[in-house]
Amino acid sequence: MRVGGWRGGVGRALVLAVPYAWLVLFFLVPLLIVGKISLSEMRAGVPPYEPILDFADGALVGVRATLENFALLFEDDLYVGAYFQSVGIALVSTLLCLLIGYPMALGIARARPDRRGPLLLLIILPFWTSFLIRVYAWMGILKDEGLLNGALLWAGVISEPLVILNTDAAVYIGIVYSYLPFMVLPLYATLEKLDPSLLEAAADLGARPWRAFLSVTLPLSLPGVVAGSMLVFVPAVGEYVIPDLLGGGDTQMLGKALWDVFAFSRDWPTAAALAVSMLAALALPIAVFNRLQARLEPEEK
Amino acid sequence: MLARLTRLAAAALAGLAVLPAHAEDKVVNVYNWSDYIAKDTLETFTRETGIKVKYDTYADNEILDTKLSAGKSGYDVVFPSASPFFAAQVKAGMYQPLDVARLPNAAGLDKGVMANLAKVDPGNRFGVPYMMAATGFAYNVDKIGKAMPDAPVDSWAMLFDPAVVSRFKGCGVSLLDTPTEAVPAMQIYRGKDPQVQNADSLAAAMEALTPLRPNYRYVNSERYRADLANGDICLAHGYVGDLVQSRSRAAEAKKKQDIAIVIPKEGALVNIDVMAIPADAPHPEAAHAFINFILRPDVIAGITNEVGYANAVPAAMDKTDPAIAKDPVIFPPAAVQAKLHTPPPPAGRDYDRARSRAWSKFRAAKK
C-alpha cells in the first residue's frame, strides 16, 4: 500500500537530502580533492603541488595528471607491509573485543531488567572523559614504575617491573579498551531481543546450557557480532593516536606511514596517493563484512 | 581536504571584508614550540603595547611546515628551525620580508649568528634568530653508572655503538623521531661530513642505524622530556634546551634523578630557531612589534633563564642567570662551538623521499 503519494515523496526526499548533502560535502568533496592532489606533481610552494588543470585566459589549455605518485608507493613493500600490519592489528583487536565484550553483553542482557540501565551506563561512562586523557591515563598505568607494576610488585607476583608501555601489547590494550563499548552495545541490542523461551525449548529438548548457547544464542546474535566487529575494525585500522602514544614507534600502521610521507618528505601528492590506495584497499575487507551482515539480516526477522 | 575547504571559506570571507590594511586588530597570533617562552613574556607584551596575544604551540617542525604549506594558517609569528625547514620555506615563498625599520632591537643581534643564518636566508631578509641549541643527549647518572660503569659518556657511542647502547636497553633509550637529526648525528659519529646528502651517504647511515633499533625503547620527539625527568628512561637523544628543562624538572622531582647533558665530543648539529612572519599573516604590524619586543635584551634574557636555550643577543648576557650563562651545554665554549655543524641545507626531492621511506622502515625495525 502506498502511503502519502506526492507530498509523502517530497517529505521523504527532504529527509534523505540532509544525510546525502552531509556525505557529499564532508566525504565526497574532500575525497575528490584528495584524489585530485594524488594525480598532481609536487613542487615547493603554497600549496605544495602543481595544479592539474592549466587555464589560460579562462580557457582550459591542458591537463597535467600523473600516476607516478601511485607507482612510487609500490616501489618496495613498505606500504603493503603497513597495510597488512594495520589490518592484522585491527583483526586481533576486534577478536579480543569480541571475546571480552560478548560475555559482558550477555551478562547485561540476562540481568534483571531494572539493573540493565545502570550496567549499560557503566559501559558508556568512560565516554564522559576525553579519549586522549584516557589514553594518557593508560600511560600512567602501564609504565615501568606505574600503577600496574607497582601493584604486581607489591603483591609479589613479579620481582622485576614488566615492560609493557612502548610495546605492541600496550597498543592492543589501548585499542581494545577504547573500542570495547562499540562491541558491547550492538551485541547487547541483539541479545536483549532474544526470546528466552527459545532457550527453555532447547532445555526441554535435552540440550545442556553450552549446547543451547552454541546452537541457539550464538547464531541468533550473529548480526550483533558483525555490527560490533565493523564498529571496532574500521576505526582500529586507521588508528593513529593509540600506537603513537602507547607503542614504541615500531607499530607501522597506515596512519603513521601517511604522516611520514606528508611531513618528512613534504610530498603531498604521494601522501594523497597513499590515502586513496588505503581507502580502496580497506573497502575490500569492509565489503566482506557488509555482505556478511546483509546475509544475516533476514534471519533476524 | 578540510584545510582546503577552510581556505575557500576564508578566501570568501576575505573578499567580503574590504577593510583598509591599516585598520589592523590589536592582536598577534603566535605559533611557537611548546615550553619555549617565559611565563610572563606574553603578559608583559600585552601590558606594554596593548596588543593581545593568541598563543598556540607545536612539537615538530613538520607540523608547522604542513600548516604553512596549506596556506592561510592565520599565524603572524612562527618559529621554524633554520635548516632545512626555514630554508625550504623561504624558497617556497612562505614568508614576507621583515621591515627592518620596525625592528630597532634587531641591531643588537650577534653578527656571527646572523652570518650563519644568512646561509639559508641571504641578506637576512625573512627571519631573525630566536633561540639556538645543539642536539645532543642526556643520561641518568645513577642508572647508566649501574648498567655500565665505564660508559663512554662524552661520545655518540652511547647511542650509536651497538656494544654500548645495548647495555642500556633495560633502563630505556629514546631517539628523536626525525631523520633530519638522527641521520646527520650518525654521520658525525662515523666521522663523515653531515653536509653530504646522497643515496650512498643515506644508505650507509641507515645501515648503521637499523640494527640498533631494538635498543631504542621508542622513537619520539616529545615524550623523552617527561620520561627522562621521571626516571622512566635513562638515555635520551634530544635538543639541549629541552634536556636542560628535563634536568631541572628531574632535580625538583619527588624521586630526584641526576641528569647529565652531553654535546658529544665528535661534534653535533646546532639549530637556530628563527622568528618569521608568514606571507599571508593577518597582523604584520603587530607581528613586527612582537618580534622587536622579544629581541629586547631583558625580555630575551628572561626567556633564556626559563627555557635553557641560548639567545643571539649579546647585550642580554649580563641579565642572564649566571648558572645558565656559565653552563657549557647552553653557551658552549669556543672549543666546543668549533665542532658544531649547521644542519645541511634542503636536499633534493628524491633524497627527501628516500630518507622519509628509510626512516619509516627504520622505526618499524624493532624486532
PDB file of all heavy atoms in Angstrom, chain A residues 166 243-244 247-250 256 264, chain B residues 173-179 182 213 216-224 237 359 362-366:
ATOM      1  N   ASN A 166      55.158   1.171  25.408  1.00  0.00           N
ATOM      2  CA  ASN A 166      56.054   1.230  24.255  1.00  0.00           C
ATOM      3  C   ASN A 166      56.222  -0.125  23.574  1.00  0.00           C
ATOM      4  O   ASN A 166      57.195  -0.349  22.868  1.00  0.00           O
ATOM      5  CB  ASN A 166      57.444   1.769  24.620  1.00  0.00           C
ATOM      6  CG  ASN A 166      57.370   3.128  25.269  1.00  0.00           C
ATOM      7  OD1 ASN A 166      56.681   4.014  24.782  1.00  0.00           O
ATOM      8  ND2 ASN A 166      58.042   3.285  26.386  1.00  0.00           N
ATOM      9  N   PRO A 243      48.682   3.961  18.818  1.00  0.00           N
ATOM     10  CA  PRO A 243      50.043   3.466  18.594  1.00  0.00           C
ATOM     11  C   PRO A 243      51.093   4.545  18.851  1.00  0.00           C
ATOM     12  O   PRO A 243      52.180   4.249  19.319  1.00  0.00           O
ATOM     13  CB  PRO A 243      50.054   3.059  17.120  1.00  0.00           C
ATOM     14  CG  PRO A 243      48.663   3.063  16.664  1.00  0.00           C
ATOM     15  CD  PRO A 243      47.839   3.808  17.630  1.00  0.00           C
ATOM     16  N   ASP A 244      50.756   5.792  18.551  1.00  0.00           N
ATOM     17  CA  ASP A 244      51.737   6.864  18.722  1.00  0.00           C
ATOM     18  C   ASP A 244      52.050   7.077  20.200  1.00  0.00           C
ATOM     19  O   ASP A 244      53.187   7.322  20.566  1.00  0.00           O
ATOM     20  CB  ASP A 244      51.206   8.156  18.100  1.00  0.00           C
ATOM     21  CG  ASP A 244      52.325   9.136  17.799  1.00  0.00           C
ATOM     22  OD1 ASP A 244      53.364   8.688  17.278  1.00  0.00           O
ATOM     23  OD2 ASP A 244      52.167  10.328  18.093  1.00  0.00           O
ATOM     24  N   GLY A 247      52.610   2.878  21.843  1.00  0.00           N
ATOM     25  CA  GLY A 247      53.560   2.000  21.166  1.00  0.00           C
ATOM     26  C   GLY A 247      54.965   2.591  21.186  1.00  0.00           C
ATOM     27  O   GLY A 247      55.186   3.716  21.617  1.00  0.00           O
ATOM     28  N   GLY A 248      55.927   1.812  20.712  1.00  0.00           N
ATOM     29  CA  GLY A 248      57.307   2.267  20.714  1.00  0.00           C
ATOM     30  C   GLY A 248      57.735   2.842  19.379  1.00  0.00           C
ATOM     31  O   GLY A 248      58.913   2.952  19.100  1.00  0.00           O
ATOM     32  N   GLY A 249      56.759   3.209  18.557  1.00  0.00           N
ATOM     33  CA  GLY A 249      57.099   3.779  17.257  1.00  0.00           C
ATOM     34  C   GLY A 249      57.342   2.714  16.208  1.00  0.00           C
ATOM     35  O   GLY A 249      57.577   3.018  15.055  1.00  0.00           O
ATOM     36  N   ASP A 250      57.281   1.426  16.608  1.00  0.00           N
ATOM     37  CA  ASP A 250      57.571   0.379  15.635  1.00  0.00           C
ATOM     38  C   ASP A 250      56.298  -0.224  15.054  1.00  0.00           C
ATOM     39  O   ASP A 250      56.361  -1.042  14.158  1.00  0.00           O
ATOM     40  CB  ASP A 250      58.413  -0.734  16.266  1.00  0.00           C
ATOM     41  CG  ASP A 250      57.746  -1.317  17.500  1.00  0.00           C
ATOM     42  OD1 ASP A 250      57.154  -0.542  18.261  1.00  0.00           O
ATOM     43  OD2 ASP A 250      57.814  -2.536  17.698  1.00  0.00           O
ATOM     44  N   LYS A 256      50.296   6.314  10.476  1.00  0.00           N
ATOM     45  CA  LYS A 256      51.648   6.814  10.729  1.00  0.00           C
ATOM     46  C   LYS A 256      52.448   6.889   9.432  1.00  0.00           C
ATOM     47  O   LYS A 256      53.181   7.865   9.198  1.00  0.00           O
ATOM     48  CB  LYS A 256      52.328   5.891  11.741  1.00  0.00           C
ATOM     49  CG  LYS A 256      53.631   6.406  12.302  1.00  0.00           C
ATOM     50  CD  LYS A 256      53.439   7.516  13.322  1.00  0.00           C
ATOM     51  CE  LYS A 256      54.786   8.015  13.815  1.00  0.00           C
ATOM     52  NZ  LYS A 256      54.660   9.298  14.504  1.00  0.00           N
ATOM     53  N   PHE A 264      57.722  14.271   6.457  1.00  0.00           N
ATOM     54  CA  PHE A 264      59.172  14.185   6.308  1.00  0.00           C
ATOM     55  C   PHE A 264      59.630  14.482   4.897  1.00  0.00           C
ATOM     56  O   PHE A 264      60.707  15.015   4.696  1.00  0.00           O
ATOM     57  CB  PHE A 264      59.689  12.812   6.758  1.00  0.00           C
ATOM     58  CG  PHE A 264      59.564  12.594   8.234  1.00  0.00           C
ATOM     59  CD1 PHE A 264      59.247  11.361   8.753  1.00  0.00           C
ATOM     60  CD2 PHE A 264      59.765  13.646   9.120  1.00  0.00           C
ATOM     61  CE1 PHE A 264      59.129  11.170  10.120  1.00  0.00           C
ATOM     62  CE2 PHE A 264      59.649  13.466  10.482  1.00  0.00           C
ATOM     63  CZ  PHE A 264      59.326  12.220  10.981  1.00  0.00           C
TER      64      PHE A 264
ATOM     65  N   VAL B 173      66.070   3.700  26.288  1.00  0.00           N
ATOM     66  CA  VAL B 173      66.762   4.672  25.448  1.00  0.00           C
ATOM     67  C   VAL B 173      65.753   5.235  24.461  1.00  0.00           C
ATOM     68  O   VAL B 173      64.929   4.487  23.935  1.00  0.00           O
ATOM     69  CB  VAL B 173      67.918   4.003  24.660  1.00  0.00           C
ATOM     70  CG1 VAL B 173      68.692   5.035  23.865  1.00  0.00           C
ATOM     71  CG2 VAL B 173      68.834   3.235  25.592  1.00  0.00           C
ATOM     72  N   SER B 174      65.790   6.542  24.224  1.00  0.00           N
ATOM     73  CA  SER B 174      64.866   7.114  23.237  1.00  0.00           C
ATOM     74  C   SER B 174      65.627   7.891  22.179  1.00  0.00           C
ATOM     75  O   SER B 174      66.717   8.394  22.420  1.00  0.00           O
ATOM     76  CB  SER B 174      63.847   8.030  23.911  1.00  0.00           C
ATOM     77  OG  SER B 174      64.402   9.308  24.096  1.00  0.00           O
ATOM     78  N   LEU B 175      65.030   7.952  20.987  1.00  0.00           N
ATOM     79  CA  LEU B 175      65.640   8.642  19.848  1.00  0.00           C
ATOM     80  C   LEU B 175      64.635   9.656  19.307  1.00  0.00           C
ATOM     81  O   LEU B 175      63.433   9.388  19.308  1.00  0.00           O
ATOM     82  CB  LEU B 175      65.962   7.597  18.770  1.00  0.00           C
ATOM     83  CG  LEU B 175      67.051   7.945  17.765  1.00  0.00           C
ATOM     84  CD1 LEU B 175      68.414   7.993  18.440  1.00  0.00           C
ATOM     85  CD2 LEU B 175      67.096   6.908  16.648  1.00  0.00           C
ATOM     86  N   LEU B 176      65.133  10.809  18.834  1.00  0.00           N
ATOM     87  CA  LEU B 176      64.244  11.808  18.230  1.00  0.00           C
ATOM     88  C   LEU B 176      63.609  11.224  16.969  1.00  0.00           C
ATOM     89  O   LEU B 176      64.285  10.570  16.176  1.00  0.00           O
ATOM     90  CB  LEU B 176      65.024  13.063  17.859  1.00  0.00           C
ATOM     91  CG  LEU B 176      65.403  14.004  19.005  1.00  0.00           C
ATOM     92  CD1 LEU B 176      66.308  15.111  18.480  1.00  0.00           C
ATOM     93  CD2 LEU B 176      64.172  14.589  19.660  1.00  0.00           C
ATOM     94  N   ASP B 177      62.317  11.490  16.788  1.00  0.00           N
ATOM     95  CA  ASP B 177      61.607  10.931  15.640  1.00  0.00           C
ATOM     96  C   ASP B 177      61.710  11.861  14.442  1.00  0.00           C
ATOM     97  O   ASP B 177      60.713  12.376  13.952  1.00  0.00           O
ATOM     98  CB  ASP B 177      60.141  10.682  16.002  1.00  0.00           C
ATOM     99  CG  ASP B 177      59.401   9.966  14.878  1.00  0.00           C
ATOM    100  OD1 ASP B 177      60.063   9.535  13.919  1.00  0.00           O
ATOM    101  OD2 ASP B 177      58.174   9.841  14.976  1.00  0.00           O
ATOM    102  N   THR B 178      62.914  12.113  13.981  1.00  0.00           N
ATOM    103  CA  THR B 178      63.061  12.851  12.732  1.00  0.00           C
ATOM    104  C   THR B 178      64.401  12.503  12.098  1.00  0.00           C
ATOM    105  O   THR B 178      65.434  12.560  12.754  1.00  0.00           O
ATOM    106  CB  THR B 178      62.925  14.379  12.912  1.00  0.00           C
ATOM    107  OG1 THR B 178      63.343  15.014  11.711  1.00  0.00           O
ATOM    108  CG2 THR B 178      63.745  14.896  14.061  1.00  0.00           C
ATOM    109  N   PRO B 179      64.370  12.126  10.803  1.00  0.00           N
ATOM    110  CA  PRO B 179      65.618  11.774  10.146  1.00  0.00           C
ATOM    111  C   PRO B 179      66.540  12.987   9.986  1.00  0.00           C
ATOM    112  O   PRO B 179      67.734  12.815   9.784  1.00  0.00           O
ATOM    113  CB  PRO B 179      65.164  11.244   8.787  1.00  0.00           C
ATOM    114  CG  PRO B 179      63.803  11.791   8.572  1.00  0.00           C
ATOM    115  CD  PRO B 179      63.208  11.982   9.925  1.00  0.00           C
ATOM    116  N   ALA B 182      68.644  12.439  13.289  1.00  0.00           N
ATOM    117  CA  ALA B 182      69.311  11.158  13.525  1.00  0.00           C
ATOM    118  C   ALA B 182      70.329  10.828  12.433  1.00  0.00           C
ATOM    119  O   ALA B 182      71.410  10.313  12.733  1.00  0.00           O
ATOM    120  CB  ALA B 182      68.268  10.046  13.628  1.00  0.00           C
ATOM    121  N   ARG B 213      67.971  -0.525  16.199  1.00  0.00           N
ATOM    122  CA  ARG B 213      66.586  -0.195  16.527  1.00  0.00           C
ATOM    123  C   ARG B 213      66.040  -0.931  17.749  1.00  0.00           C
ATOM    124  O   ARG B 213      65.379  -0.302  18.585  1.00  0.00           O
ATOM    125  CB  ARG B 213      65.692  -0.421  15.298  1.00  0.00           C
ATOM    126  CG  ARG B 213      64.213  -0.163  15.521  1.00  0.00           C
ATOM    127  CD  ARG B 213      63.941   1.299  15.840  1.00  0.00           C
ATOM    128  NE  ARG B 213      62.528   1.550  16.099  1.00  0.00           N
ATOM    129  CZ  ARG B 213      61.974   1.538  17.303  1.00  0.00           C
ATOM    130  NH1 ARG B 213      62.697   1.285  18.366  1.00  0.00           N
ATOM    131  NH2 ARG B 213      60.683   1.788  17.456  1.00  0.00           N
ATOM    132  N   TYR B 216      66.329   0.868  21.092  1.00  0.00           N
ATOM    133  CA  TYR B 216      65.598   2.099  21.402  1.00  0.00           C
ATOM    134  C   TYR B 216      64.190   1.738  21.841  1.00  0.00           C
ATOM    135  O   TYR B 216      63.422   1.160  21.078  1.00  0.00           O
ATOM    136  CB  TYR B 216      65.543   3.033  20.187  1.00  0.00           C
ATOM    137  CG  TYR B 216      66.914   3.367  19.639  1.00  0.00           C
ATOM    138  CD1 TYR B 216      67.209   3.210  18.291  1.00  0.00           C
ATOM    139  CD2 TYR B 216      67.917   3.839  20.485  1.00  0.00           C
ATOM    140  CE1 TYR B 216      68.465   3.510  17.789  1.00  0.00           C
ATOM    141  CE2 TYR B 216      69.175   4.140  19.987  1.00  0.00           C
ATOM    142  CZ  TYR B 216      69.448   3.969  18.640  1.00  0.00           C
ATOM    143  OH  TYR B 216      70.687   4.256  18.154  1.00  0.00           O
ATOM    144  N   ARG B 217      63.848   2.105  23.052  1.00  0.00           N
ATOM    145  CA  ARG B 217      62.517   1.754  23.548  1.00  0.00           C
ATOM    146  C   ARG B 217      61.462   2.467  22.723  1.00  0.00           C
ATOM    147  O   ARG B 217      60.440   1.905  22.393  1.00  0.00           O
ATOM    148  CB  ARG B 217      62.377   2.116  25.012  1.00  0.00           C
ATOM    149  CG  ARG B 217      61.067   1.603  25.585  1.00  0.00           C
ATOM    150  CD  ARG B 217      60.994   1.773  27.076  1.00  0.00           C
ATOM    151  NE  ARG B 217      61.940   0.899  27.767  1.00  0.00           N
ATOM    152  CZ  ARG B 217      62.095   0.916  29.089  1.00  0.00           C
ATOM    153  NH1 ARG B 217      61.383   1.736  29.826  1.00  0.00           N
ATOM    154  NH2 ARG B 217      62.969   0.121  29.645  1.00  0.00           N
ATOM    155  N   TYR B 218      61.688   3.741  22.402  1.00  0.00           N
ATOM    156  CA  TYR B 218      60.775   4.410  21.483  1.00  0.00           C
ATOM    157  C   TYR B 218      61.481   5.489  20.689  1.00  0.00           C
ATOM    158  O   TYR B 218      62.564   5.938  21.045  1.00  0.00           O
ATOM    159  CB  TYR B 218      59.533   4.962  22.190  1.00  0.00           C
ATOM    160  CG  TYR B 218      59.778   5.969  23.292  1.00  0.00           C
ATOM    161  CD1 TYR B 218      60.102   7.282  22.992  1.00  0.00           C
ATOM    162  CD2 TYR B 218      59.641   5.609  24.623  1.00  0.00           C
ATOM    163  CE1 TYR B 218      60.287   8.205  23.994  1.00  0.00           C
ATOM    164  CE2 TYR B 218      59.835   6.521  25.640  1.00  0.00           C
ATOM    165  CZ  TYR B 218      60.161   7.839  25.323  1.00  0.00           C
ATOM    166  OH  TYR B 218      60.349   8.746  26.321  1.00  0.00           O
ATOM    167  N   VAL B 219      60.852   5.848  19.582  1.00  0.00           N
ATOM    168  CA  VAL B 219      61.348   6.896  18.707  1.00  0.00           C
ATOM    169  C   VAL B 219      60.281   7.975  18.721  1.00  0.00           C
ATOM    170  O   VAL B 219      59.189   7.789  18.191  1.00  0.00           O
ATOM    171  CB  VAL B 219      61.559   6.343  17.280  1.00  0.00           C
ATOM    172  CG1 VAL B 219      62.052   7.427  16.348  1.00  0.00           C
ATOM    173  CG2 VAL B 219      62.545   5.179  17.301  1.00  0.00           C
ATOM    174  N   ASN B 220      60.551   9.079  19.403  1.00  0.00           N
ATOM    175  CA  ASN B 220      59.514  10.096  19.607  1.00  0.00           C
ATOM    176  C   ASN B 220      60.206  11.402  19.972  1.00  0.00           C
ATOM    177  O   ASN B 220      61.218  11.396  20.654  1.00  0.00           O
ATOM    178  CB  ASN B 220      58.591   9.635  20.745  1.00  0.00           C
ATOM    179  CG  ASN B 220      57.379  10.516  20.917  1.00  0.00           C
ATOM    180  OD1 ASN B 220      57.495  11.672  21.313  1.00  0.00           O
ATOM    181  ND2 ASN B 220      56.218   9.985  20.609  1.00  0.00           N
ATOM    182  N   SER B 221      59.658  12.531  19.531  1.00  0.00           N
ATOM    183  CA  SER B 221      60.337  13.808  19.747  1.00  0.00           C
ATOM    184  C   SER B 221      59.835  14.562  20.961  1.00  0.00           C
ATOM    185  O   SER B 221      60.301  15.664  21.227  1.00  0.00           O
ATOM    186  CB  SER B 221      60.168  14.703  18.515  1.00  0.00           C
ATOM    187  OG  SER B 221      60.682  14.066  17.388  1.00  0.00           O
ATOM    188  N   GLU B 222      58.879  14.008  21.691  1.00  0.00           N
ATOM    189  CA  GLU B 222      58.286  14.815  22.746  1.00  0.00           C
ATOM    190  C   GLU B 222      58.297  14.133  24.105  1.00  0.00           C
ATOM    191  O   GLU B 222      58.460  14.775  25.125  1.00  0.00           O
ATOM    192  CB  GLU B 222      56.844  15.154  22.367  1.00  0.00           C
ATOM    193  CG  GLU B 222      56.454  16.522  22.829  1.00  0.00           C
ATOM    194  CD  GLU B 222      55.053  16.872  22.383  1.00  0.00           C
ATOM    195  OE1 GLU B 222      54.453  16.097  21.620  1.00  0.00           O
ATOM    196  OE2 GLU B 222      54.565  17.905  22.803  1.00  0.00           O
ATOM    197  N   ARG B 223      58.095  12.819  24.079  1.00  0.00           N
ATOM    198  CA  ARG B 223      57.890  12.128  25.362  1.00  0.00           C
ATOM    199  C   ARG B 223      59.130  12.063  26.229  1.00  0.00           C
ATOM    200  O   ARG B 223      59.036  11.901  27.439  1.00  0.00           O
ATOM    201  CB  ARG B 223      57.353  10.716  25.086  1.00  0.00           C
ATOM    202  CG  ARG B 223      55.845  10.725  24.904  1.00  0.00           C
ATOM    203  CD  ARG B 223      55.346   9.583  24.083  1.00  0.00           C
ATOM    204  NE  ARG B 223      55.709   8.297  24.624  1.00  0.00           N
ATOM    205  CZ  ARG B 223      55.464   7.149  23.990  1.00  0.00           C
ATOM    206  NH1 ARG B 223      54.860   7.174  22.821  1.00  0.00           N
ATOM    207  NH2 ARG B 223      55.814   6.017  24.517  1.00  0.00           N
ATOM    208  N   TYR B 224      60.328  12.174  25.628  1.00  0.00           N
ATOM    209  CA  TYR B 224      61.545  11.978  26.428  1.00  0.00           C
ATOM    210  C   TYR B 224      61.702  13.004  27.531  1.00  0.00           C
ATOM    211  O   TYR B 224      62.297  12.720  28.561  1.00  0.00           O
ATOM    212  CB  TYR B 224      62.782  11.955  25.524  1.00  0.00           C
ATOM    213  CG  TYR B 224      63.144  13.270  24.857  1.00  0.00           C
ATOM    214  CD1 TYR B 224      64.022  14.159  25.472  1.00  0.00           C
ATOM    215  CD2 TYR B 224      62.645  13.607  23.618  1.00  0.00           C
ATOM    216  CE1 TYR B 224      64.368  15.355  24.853  1.00  0.00           C
ATOM    217  CE2 TYR B 224      62.990  14.795  22.992  1.00  0.00           C
ATOM    218  CZ  TYR B 224      63.848  15.674  23.613  1.00  0.00           C
ATOM    219  OH  TYR B 224      64.189  16.856  23.013  1.00  0.00           O
ATOM    220  N   HIS B 237      68.160  10.975  23.264  1.00  0.00           N
ATOM    221  CA  HIS B 237      68.635  11.853  22.195  1.00  0.00           C
ATOM    222  C   HIS B 237      67.697  13.048  22.187  1.00  0.00           C
ATOM    223  O   HIS B 237      66.487  12.863  22.193  1.00  0.00           O
ATOM    224  CB  HIS B 237      68.522  11.051  20.886  1.00  0.00           C
ATOM    225  CG  HIS B 237      68.916  11.777  19.650  1.00  0.00           C
ATOM    226  ND1 HIS B 237      68.294  11.575  18.447  1.00  0.00           N
ATOM    227  CD2 HIS B 237      69.877  12.692  19.420  1.00  0.00           C
ATOM    228  CE1 HIS B 237      68.871  12.325  17.519  1.00  0.00           C
ATOM    229  NE2 HIS B 237      69.832  13.008  18.079  1.00  0.00           N
ATOM    230  N   TRP B 359      63.331   6.142   6.871  1.00  0.00           N
ATOM    231  CA  TRP B 359      63.029   6.405   8.276  1.00  0.00           C
ATOM    232  C   TRP B 359      61.823   5.584   8.743  1.00  0.00           C
ATOM    233  O   TRP B 359      61.822   5.024   9.831  1.00  0.00           O
ATOM    234  CB  TRP B 359      62.794   7.900   8.496  1.00  0.00           C
ATOM    235  CG  TRP B 359      62.686   8.252   9.941  1.00  0.00           C
ATOM    236  CD1 TRP B 359      61.574   8.634  10.605  1.00  0.00           C
ATOM    237  CD2 TRP B 359      63.735   8.232  10.910  1.00  0.00           C
ATOM    238  NE1 TRP B 359      61.852   8.854  11.933  1.00  0.00           N
ATOM    239  CE2 TRP B 359      63.178   8.611  12.144  1.00  0.00           C
ATOM    240  CE3 TRP B 359      65.096   7.903  10.860  1.00  0.00           C
ATOM    241  CZ2 TRP B 359      63.933   8.684  13.317  1.00  0.00           C
ATOM    242  CZ3 TRP B 359      65.843   7.982  12.026  1.00  0.00           C
ATOM    243  CH2 TRP B 359      65.259   8.370  13.226  1.00  0.00           C
ATOM    244  N   PHE B 362      63.059   2.140   9.265  1.00  0.00           N
ATOM    245  CA  PHE B 362      63.913   2.049  10.447  1.00  0.00           C
ATOM    246  C   PHE B 362      63.058   1.978  11.709  1.00  0.00           C
ATOM    247  O   PHE B 362      63.263   1.148  12.580  1.00  0.00           O
ATOM    248  CB  PHE B 362      64.841   3.263  10.512  1.00  0.00           C
ATOM    249  CG  PHE B 362      65.373   3.535  11.891  1.00  0.00           C
ATOM    250  CD1 PHE B 362      66.349   2.714  12.441  1.00  0.00           C
ATOM    251  CD2 PHE B 362      64.887   4.593  12.642  1.00  0.00           C
ATOM    252  CE1 PHE B 362      66.822   2.955  13.719  1.00  0.00           C
ATOM    253  CE2 PHE B 362      65.356   4.829  13.922  1.00  0.00           C
ATOM    254  CZ  PHE B 362      66.326   4.007  14.463  1.00  0.00           C
ATOM    255  N   ARG B 363      62.058   2.876  11.789  1.00  0.00           N
ATOM    256  CA  ARG B 363      61.266   2.945  13.000  1.00  0.00           C
ATOM    257  C   ARG B 363      60.541   1.621  13.275  1.00  0.00           C
ATOM    258  O   ARG B 363      60.346   1.237  14.417  1.00  0.00           O
ATOM    259  CB  ARG B 363      60.247   4.074  12.879  1.00  0.00           C
ATOM    260  CG  ARG B 363      60.033   4.771  14.184  1.00  0.00           C
ATOM    261  CD  ARG B 363      59.131   5.955  14.042  1.00  0.00           C
ATOM    262  NE  ARG B 363      58.247   5.778  12.918  1.00  0.00           N
ATOM    263  CZ  ARG B 363      57.787   6.779  12.196  1.00  0.00           C
ATOM    264  NH1 ARG B 363      58.110   7.998  12.486  1.00  0.00           N
ATOM    265  NH2 ARG B 363      56.990   6.555  11.195  1.00  0.00           N
ATOM    266  N   ALA B 364      60.154   0.941  12.186  1.00  0.00           N
ATOM    267  CA  ALA B 364      59.396  -0.300  12.347  1.00  0.00           C
ATOM    268  C   ALA B 364      60.306  -1.494  12.639  1.00  0.00           C
ATOM    269  O   ALA B 364      59.829  -2.548  13.025  1.00  0.00           O
ATOM    270  CB  ALA B 364      58.588  -0.572  11.090  1.00  0.00           C
ATOM    271  N   ALA B 365      61.629  -1.327  12.467  1.00  0.00           N
ATOM    272  CA  ALA B 365      62.539  -2.483  12.541  1.00  0.00           C
ATOM    273  C   ALA B 365      62.944  -2.789  13.979  1.00  0.00           C
ATOM    274  O   ALA B 365      64.110  -2.868  14.310  1.00  0.00           O
ATOM    275  CB  ALA B 365      63.787  -2.220  11.690  1.00  0.00           C
ATOM    276  N   LYS B 366      61.934  -2.967  14.859  1.00  0.00           N
ATOM    277  CA  LYS B 366      62.276  -3.144  16.277  1.00  0.00           C
ATOM    278  C   LYS B 366      62.540  -4.600  16.630  1.00  0.00           C
ATOM    279  O   LYS B 366      63.279  -4.893  17.555  1.00  0.00           O
ATOM    280  CB  LYS B 366      61.143  -2.589  17.145  1.00  0.00           C
ATOM    281  CG  LYS B 366      61.590  -2.360  18.593  1.00  0.00           C
ATOM    282  CD  LYS B 366      60.504  -1.685  19.394  1.00  0.00           C
ATOM    283  CE  LYS B 366      60.934  -1.470  20.841  1.00  0.00           C
ATOM    284  NZ  LYS B 366      59.862  -0.876  21.636  1.00  0.00           N
TER     285      LYS B 366
END
